[in-house]
PDB file of all heavy atoms in Angstrom:
ATOM      1  N   VAL A 308      66.043 209.609 238.040  1.00 95.00           N
ATOM      2  CA  VAL A 308      66.659 210.798 237.500  1.00 95.00           C
ATOM      3  C   VAL A 308      66.303 210.954 236.021  1.00 95.00           C
ATOM      4  O   VAL A 308      65.990 212.052 235.528  1.00 95.00           O
ATOM      5  CB  VAL A 308      68.194 210.754 237.663  1.00 95.00           C
ATOM      6  CG1 VAL A 308      68.856 211.971 237.012  1.00 95.00           C
ATOM      7  CG2 VAL A 308      68.587 210.604 239.165  1.00 95.00           C
ATOM      8  N   ALA A 309      66.458 209.861 235.300  1.00 97.00           N
ATOM      9  CA  ALA A 309      66.175 209.920 233.851  1.00 97.00           C
ATOM     10  C   ALA A 309      64.767 210.242 233.509  1.00 97.00           C
ATOM     11  O   ALA A 309      64.529 210.861 232.438  1.00 97.00           O
ATOM     12  CB  ALA A 309      66.535 208.518 233.202  1.00 97.00           C
ATOM     13  N   LEU A 310      63.799 209.900 234.357  1.00 97.00           N
ATOM     14  CA  LEU A 310      62.403 210.122 234.045  1.00 97.00           C
ATOM     15  C   LEU A 310      61.852 211.447 234.667  1.00 97.00           C
ATOM     16  O   LEU A 310      60.738 211.874 234.271  1.00 97.00           O
ATOM     17  CB  LEU A 310      61.570 208.962 234.634  1.00 97.00           C
ATOM     18  CG  LEU A 310      61.788 207.616 233.917  1.00 97.00           C
ATOM     19  CD1 LEU A 310      61.047 206.499 234.730  1.00 97.00           C
ATOM     20  CD2 LEU A 310      61.359 207.605 232.510  1.00 97.00           C
ATOM     21  N   ALA A 311      62.578 212.005 235.544  1.00 95.00           N
ATOM     22  CA  ALA A 311      62.069 213.121 236.327  1.00 95.00           C
ATOM     23  C   ALA A 311      61.488 214.279 235.468  1.00 95.00           C
ATOM     24  O   ALA A 311      60.443 214.830 235.732  1.00 95.00           O
ATOM     25  CB  ALA A 311      63.087 213.642 237.287  1.00 95.00           C
ATOM     26  N   GLY A 312      62.236 214.690 234.448  1.00 94.00           N
ATOM     27  CA  GLY A 312      61.838 215.799 233.672  1.00 94.00           C
ATOM     28  C   GLY A 312      60.602 215.607 232.785  1.00 94.00           C
ATOM     29  O   GLY A 312      59.905 216.537 232.384  1.00 94.00           O
ATOM     30  N   LEU A 313      60.337 214.337 232.487  1.00 97.00           N
ATOM     31  CA  LEU A 313      59.225 213.984 231.586  1.00 97.00           C
ATOM     32  C   LEU A 313      57.917 213.748 232.250  1.00 97.00           C
ATOM     33  O   LEU A 313      56.864 213.901 231.664  1.00 97.00           O
ATOM     34  CB  LEU A 313      59.616 212.672 230.809  1.00 97.00           C
ATOM     35  CG  LEU A 313      60.854 212.768 229.877  1.00 97.00           C
ATOM     36  CD1 LEU A 313      61.047 211.438 229.231  1.00 97.00           C
ATOM     37  CD2 LEU A 313      60.746 213.865 228.869  1.00 97.00           C
ATOM     38  N   LYS A 314      57.956 213.393 233.553  1.00 96.00           N
ATOM     39  CA  LYS A 314      56.750 213.092 234.311  1.00 96.00           C
ATOM     40  C   LYS A 314      55.744 214.277 234.299  1.00 96.00           C
ATOM     41  O   LYS A 314      56.120 215.381 234.590  1.00 96.00           O
ATOM     42  CB  LYS A 314      57.084 212.658 235.697  1.00 96.00           C
ATOM     43  CG  LYS A 314      57.714 211.283 235.826  1.00 96.00           C
ATOM     44  CD  LYS A 314      58.018 210.868 237.230  1.00 96.00           C
ATOM     45  CE  LYS A 314      58.571 209.482 237.234  1.00 96.00           C
ATOM     46  NZ  LYS A 314      58.920 209.025 238.654  1.00 96.00           N
ATOM     47  N   GLY A 315      54.539 213.984 233.964  1.00 96.00           N
ATOM     48  CA  GLY A 315      53.521 215.005 233.914  1.00 96.00           C
ATOM     49  C   GLY A 315      53.441 215.796 232.617  1.00 96.00           C
ATOM     50  O   GLY A 315      52.529 216.557 232.378  1.00 96.00           O
ATOM     51  N   ARG A 316      54.446 215.612 231.752  1.00 98.00           N
ATOM     52  CA  ARG A 316      54.463 216.352 230.494  1.00 98.00           C
ATOM     53  C   ARG A 316      54.430 215.436 229.301  1.00 98.00           C
ATOM     54  O   ARG A 316      53.931 215.836 228.219  1.00 98.00           O
ATOM     55  CB  ARG A 316      55.768 217.172 230.415  1.00 98.00           C
ATOM     56  CG  ARG A 316      55.904 218.286 231.457  1.00 98.00           C
ATOM     57  CD  ARG A 316      57.144 219.091 231.222  1.00 98.00           C
ATOM     58  NE  ARG A 316      57.226 220.276 232.087  1.00 98.00           N
ATOM     59  CZ  ARG A 316      58.032 220.344 233.132  1.00 98.00           C
ATOM     60  NH1 ARG A 316      58.792 219.268 233.471  1.00 98.00           N
ATOM     61  NH2 ARG A 316      58.067 221.437 233.847  1.00 98.00           N
ATOM     62  N   VAL A 317      54.891 214.186 229.463  1.00 98.00           N
ATOM     63  CA  VAL A 317      54.989 213.243 228.323  1.00 98.00           C
ATOM     64  C   VAL A 317      54.336 211.903 228.771  1.00 98.00           C
ATOM     65  O   VAL A 317      54.514 211.534 229.931  1.00 98.00           O
ATOM     66  CB  VAL A 317      56.452 213.067 227.925  1.00 98.00           C
ATOM     67  CG1 VAL A 317      56.599 211.886 226.946  1.00 98.00           C
ATOM     68  CG2 VAL A 317      57.042 214.340 227.336  1.00 98.00           C
ATOM     69  N   ASP A 318      53.625 211.201 227.841  1.00 98.00           N
ATOM     70  CA  ASP A 318      53.111 209.904 228.186  1.00 98.00           C
ATOM     71  C   ASP A 318      54.236 208.899 228.281  1.00 98.00           C
ATOM     72  O   ASP A 318      54.941 208.638 227.262  1.00 98.00           O
ATOM     73  CB  ASP A 318      52.117 209.506 227.024  1.00 98.00           C
ATOM     74  CG  ASP A 318      51.524 208.157 227.218  1.00 98.00           C
ATOM     75  OD1 ASP A 318      51.857 207.474 228.183  1.00 98.00           O
ATOM     76  OD2 ASP A 318      50.695 207.758 226.350  1.00 98.00           O
ATOM     77  N   LEU A 319      54.410 208.331 229.434  1.00 98.00           N
ATOM     78  CA  LEU A 319      55.565 207.403 229.689  1.00 98.00           C
ATOM     79  C   LEU A 319      55.096 205.983 229.778  1.00 98.00           C
ATOM     80  O   LEU A 319      55.854 205.119 230.240  1.00 98.00           O
ATOM     81  CB  LEU A 319      56.234 207.806 230.981  1.00 98.00           C
ATOM     82  CG  LEU A 319      56.896 209.173 230.995  1.00 98.00           C
ATOM     83  CD1 LEU A 319      57.495 209.490 232.405  1.00 98.00           C
ATOM     84  CD2 LEU A 319      58.027 209.259 229.988  1.00 98.00           C
ATOM     85  N   SER A 320      53.800 205.660 229.379  1.00 98.00           N
ATOM     86  CA  SER A 320      53.284 204.292 229.542  1.00 98.00           C
ATOM     87  C   SER A 320      54.037 203.292 228.712  1.00 98.00           C
ATOM     88  O   SER A 320      53.897 202.044 229.021  1.00 98.00           O
ATOM     89  CB  SER A 320      51.838 204.335 229.218  1.00 98.00           C
ATOM     90  OG  SER A 320      51.602 204.686 227.902  1.00 98.00           O
ATOM     91  N   ARG A 321      54.814 203.698 227.698  1.00 98.00           N
ATOM     92  CA  ARG A 321      55.599 202.771 226.862  1.00 98.00           C
ATOM     93  C   ARG A 321      57.057 202.726 227.214  1.00 98.00           C
ATOM     94  O   ARG A 321      57.819 202.250 226.388  1.00 98.00           O
ATOM     95  CB  ARG A 321      55.338 203.135 225.381  1.00 98.00           C
ATOM     96  CG  ARG A 321      53.858 202.960 224.989  1.00 98.00           C
ATOM     97  CD  ARG A 321      53.557 203.601 223.642  1.00 98.00           C
ATOM     98  NE  ARG A 321      52.194 203.479 223.322  1.00 98.00           N
ATOM     99  CZ  ARG A 321      51.203 204.312 223.768  1.00 98.00           C
ATOM    100  NH1 ARG A 321      51.569 205.314 224.555  1.00 98.00           N
ATOM    101  NH2 ARG A 321      49.942 204.118 223.421  1.00 98.00           N
ATOM    102  N   VAL A 322      57.399 203.209 228.336  1.00 98.00           N
ATOM    103  CA  VAL A 322      58.806 203.154 228.815  1.00 98.00           C
ATOM    104  C   VAL A 322      58.942 201.908 229.720  1.00 98.00           C
ATOM    105  O   VAL A 322      58.287 201.865 230.789  1.00 98.00           O
ATOM    106  CB  VAL A 322      59.210 204.370 229.576  1.00 98.00           C
ATOM    107  CG1 VAL A 322      60.626 204.256 230.176  1.00 98.00           C
ATOM    108  CG2 VAL A 322      59.184 205.610 228.660  1.00 98.00           C
TER     109      VAL A 322
END
Side-chain angles (χ1 to χ4, degrees):
V308 176
L310 294 172
L313 300 179
K314 288 182 176 179
R316 296 186 174 102
V317 171
D318 178 356
L319 297 174
S320 61
R321 296 168 183 82
V322 175

